[in-house]
Amino acid sequence: MKLVTTPRIDLLRQLRDQFQRDYPRGRTMLAVDGASGSGTAEFADGLAAVFGEAGRAVFRASIDDFHRPREQRYARGRDDAAGYWLDSFDYSLFRRALIEPFRLAGSTGFQLVGFDEGRDVGAQLRWTTGPQDAVLIVDGVFLNRPELRGIWHGSMRLQVPRTVAYERLHARLGVDTDPAAASNARYVGGEALYRKDDDPAARASVIVDNTDEARPQWVFADFC
């Protein structure tokens, strides 16, 4: 059967093939990092689909499923940018419940969801197992921060203009389309702290311009 192809799927397959050449076997982990509204979840889902198409066992997770409780997330104030950057996610739980057991392979179970954000409680334990050769694809914000540095076999940084990101967030969540609006200060400021402290684009294996989600572009650095 002939495979469906589009510019988006073609790029996803190119990224998959490069990763598979570098890591053809074993348990491997791939991050899809980007600011809110950059499209990380959809991009990671597409990557999972093309890995599956190639016969690789693939698992999907999101850092959004490892939030801290609201009391901890907003301890510095609901509009505080540092609170978004420093307090949003439970990286210890993320590593303990998902990353470390996934690395062990064998019959060790791992948990793809650690926190129920809607109910503001820990998620029900659902342990998953997989084969020796498998890839875990994780999407979300701040994935190249210090607590997660060194765990990824590859990481992708999605870039979109801030105005485009907030148009998407408005359509999905109803937020103000103006990035400079006071209601967006927590998130715009937190992302700025991430870029200042950790330079995620420099740490990524691959940079993708995801302004047009139907035609994402692999961005190559200019060398002089």
Side-chain angles (χ1 to χ4, degrees), residues 9-90:
I9 293 173
D10 285 346
L11 176 63
L12 292 169
R13 287 176 179 147
Q14 290 174 42
L15 294 169
R16 173 204 65 195
D17 291 346
Q18 175 173 289
F19 188 79
Q20 295 262 68
R21 284 193 294 271
D22 293 339
Y23 302 101
R25 62 185 62 86
R27 290 281 181 92
T28 54
M29 293 176 285
L30 181 59
V32 180
D33 177 50
S36 294
S38 62
T40 60
E42 296 82 359
F43 200 88
D45 288 344
L47 275 173
V50 297
F51 271 101
E53 166 190 285
R56 188 79 177 264
V58 59
F59 297 90
R60 274 283 287 115
S62 174
I63 198 65
D64 281 343
D65 291 320
F66 290 86
H67 271 96
R68 286 177 171 166
R70 289 189 195 103
E71 182 179 5
Q72 296 177 23
R73 298 203 306 273
Y74 299 120
R76 302 169 198 260
R78 295 192 70 89
D79 298 325
D80 191 85
Y84 179 50
W85 164 229
L86 297 172
D87 303 330
S88 289
F89 304 105
D90 189 338

Side-chain angles (χ1 to χ4, degrees), residues 89-101:
F89 304 105
D90 189 338
Y91 298 109
S92 176
L93 174 64
F94 178 67
R95 295 189 70 131
R96 186 173 68 252
L98 176 55
I99 298 301
E100 300 305 336

